[in-house]
Amino acid sequence: MLVVMQAQATEEQVRAVCQKIESLGYRPHSMPGAQRTAIGITGNQGEVESGTLEEMPGVQEVIRVTKPYKLVSRDTKPDNTVIKFSDSHLKGSTVTIGGPDLAIIAGPCGIETRDQAFKTAERVARAGAQFFRGGAYKPRTSPYSFQGLGEEGLKIMAEIRDRFGLLIVTEAVDYESLDLVDQYADVIQIGARNMQNFSLLKRAGRARKPVLLKRGISATLEEFLMAAEYIMSEGNYNIVLCERGVRTFADHTRNTLDLSIVPAVQRLSHLPIVVDPSHGTGKRNKVTPLSRAAVAVGADGLIVEVHHDPDRALSDGMQSLFPDQFDALMVQVRQIAAVLGRNVPITSDSRAEVTSSTD
Ligand code: PEP
Ligand code: MN
């Protein structure tokens, strides 16, 4: 059920409707938009008696939502969700995901050592990334593979934020790591293998930080949006979807990157969507072409694995770009973004680099 408020409804009227929904034993989710506010209702098992709400001052209409997801739907919120980051590390600038600026997230698959993380961070910051990625908790197919440094890795990333002004994106794999990631990082990544870990999704919904939700290895579009709905239904509205490839019969790549999901998501949902061409292809030589394609198809950003010495990486070296390759990727991506009226913002660390590459 969705309560659509009149364009001129006052804040008090919105509040009164929310209180009424609570008094009926449900949870209101107020979603202000450019034209009007909509209030999603969750917690109801069956139909909500709409009559009482319909009669309240400021209410335009009460609509039954027929889709299995409601809060992530464009029916609830027609305007794009734009997630804003502004903290003291950003030296006064504001970084966004979902607006005209593309979000560029780059870094190694895993945090291995302080030296490795700093060397890579320095290069991705200089190339113009606004976010640094790196796993401290690695969900590996084999229990004998590198599992990540845990909290030590999170501390290294917190130092990287201080040093380079990069926002930190890192994965949480269970309750314990989620609480720590929520403390240290700027964005909580939920990996493909956990896309349907419903208790973890709900816990992420109660976290303070935005969530980057990766598409499950064989998830349909609807399953993907339902996973985001789990997070949002707990009150966390800052969610970034991430296409990272799905399992198919094709064996020339690790996964099949499904770029068509970008416009498909944008039609159904107000949430931003970024693309991960690294896990999406598994092959270094395919990362740059698919990054170009992702930007051209309208993605809100990229998440790319970069390692200062990929041949010695402890995980995903085969798909990690050399820093020089990432520099070249950024130059191309800036040009493609411009065609779409989008922009890769010039960060303070990348200013010198961009000036020299356009000379
Ligand atoms: C990762 O980002 O390093 C990762 C493990 O991704 P995914 O969950 O998409 O496999
Ligand atoms: Mn990886």
Side-chain angles (χ1 to χ4, degrees):
M1 202 68 95
L2 187 66
V3 181
V4 180
M5 301 300 290
Q6 292 163 354
Q8 69 279 13
T10 64
E11 276 180 33
E12 267 110 90
Q13 288 171 336
V14 172
R15 227 183 345 261
V17 172
C18 289
Q19 278 162 4
K20 181 74 194 170
I21 293 167
E22 274 168 8
S23 75
L24 293 169
Y26 311 129
R27 180 163 184 176
H29 301 263
S30 166
M31 307 256 178
Q35 305 297 325
R36 43 88 170 156
T37 292
I39 305 166
I41 304 176
T42 60
N44 52 311
Q45 297 305 323
E47 199 115 318
V48 175
E49 178 37 70
S50 59
T52 38
L53 295 168
E54 229 148 29
E55 297 310 315
M56 292 185 73
V59 172
Q60 184 172 312
E61 57 178 333
V62 179
I63 339 180
R64 253 193 72 220
V65 181
T66 47
K67 296 200 181 77
Y69 46 86
K70 38 190 163 185
L71 302 178
V72 303
S73 167
R74 264 205 200 276
D75 299 341
T76 305
K77 182 172 178 285
D79 318 305
N80 291 342
T81 285
V82 181
I83 302 173
K84 296 190 183 66
F85 300 83
S86 44
D87 70 36
S88 52
H89 303 289
L90 297 174
K91 301 164 190 156
S93 65
T94 303
V95 171
T96 56
I97 306 182
D101 288 351
L102 295 187
I104 308 292
I105 308 165
C109 178
I111 302 299
E112 299 163 6
T113 63
R114 192 173 178 281
D115 181 61
Q116 169 250 12
F118 267 71
K119 281 193 170 127
T120 307
E122 197 252 323
R123 291 297 306 266
V124 302
R126 193 152 26 108
Q130 312 102 307
F131 296 84
F132 182 71
R133 61 146 293 148
Y137 301 90
K138 295 305 308 172
R140 302 304 299 280
T141 305
S142 163
Y144 308 119
S145 301
F146 174 61
Q147 303 283 314
L149 299 182
E151 189 170 0
E152 186 49 39
L154 298 177
K155 287 185 178 155
I156 293 172
M157 283 186 277
E159 274 189 64
I160 283 176
R161 178 181 39 223
D162 290 347
R163 169 73 182 79
F164 300 103
L166 289 163
L167 292 156
I168 303 301
V169 181
T170 191
E171 180 166 356
V173 293
D174 50 25
Y175 277 18
E176 193 189 337
S177 56
L178 197 140
D179 288 345
L180 287 167
V181 168
D182 196 17
Q183 266 175 50
Y184 285 99
D186 299 287
V187 178
I188 304 164
Q189 178 174 325
I190 301 287
R193 289 157 196 80
N194 276 316
M195 192 209 79
Q196 286 192 315
N197 181 341
F198 300 119
S199 63
L200 190 64
L201 296 175
K202 286 204 238 172
R203 182 77 160 227
R206 295 191 290 272
R208 295 169 304 143
K209 302 283 170 64
V211 176
L212 183 137
L213 175 67
K214 291 192 134 192
R215 181 180 181 186
I217 286 161
S218 61
T220 64
L221 169 57
E222 189 166 286
E223 287 163 346
F224 193 15
L225 292 175
M226 295 294 268
E229 185 82 15
Y230 261 96
I231 300 171
M232 211 178 256
S233 66
E234 293 292 321
N236 190 343
Y237 305 118
N238 292 322
I239 302 170
V240 185
L241 301 171
C242 175
E243 162 59 26
R244 48 78 72 204
V246 286
R247 193 61 71 81
T248 67
F249 55 82
D251 57 6
H252 63 287
T253 49
R254 177 178 174 184
N255 292 295
T256 298
L257 190 66
D258 175 16
L259 291 179
S260 70
I261 205 167
V262 173
V265 160
Q266 288 167 341
R267 196 182 160 93
L268 295 175
S269 175
H270 52 86
L271 292 175
I273 177 162
V274 301
V275 169
D276 174 348
S278 308
H279 294 87
T281 65
K283 303 229 165 118
R284 184 179 304 138
N285 63 18
K286 308 222 167 17
V287 171
T288 300
L290 270 301
S291 298
R292 295 194 296 253
V295 173
V297 86
D300 295 298
L302 297 171
I303 173 164
V304 182
E305 286 183 342
V306 181
H307 194 290
H308 79 288
D309 187 3
D311 294 337
R312 272 186 268 277
L314 297 183
S315 59
D316 288 348
M318 302 273 283
Q319 66 192 36
S320 299
L321 294 184
F322 287 91
D324 286 351
Q325 292 178 307
F326 184 64
D327 289 345
L329 179 155
M330 288 296 281
V331 171
Q332 296 181 358
V333 156
R334 277 184 203 286
Q335 293 176 23
I336 297 170
V339 175
L340 300 167
R342 302 195 73 168
N343 177 43
V344 178
I346 314 269
T347 55
S348 51
D349 274 354
S350 67
R351 189 158 289 128
E353 196 77 359
V354 171
T355 317
S356 66
S357 71
T358 51
D359 279 348

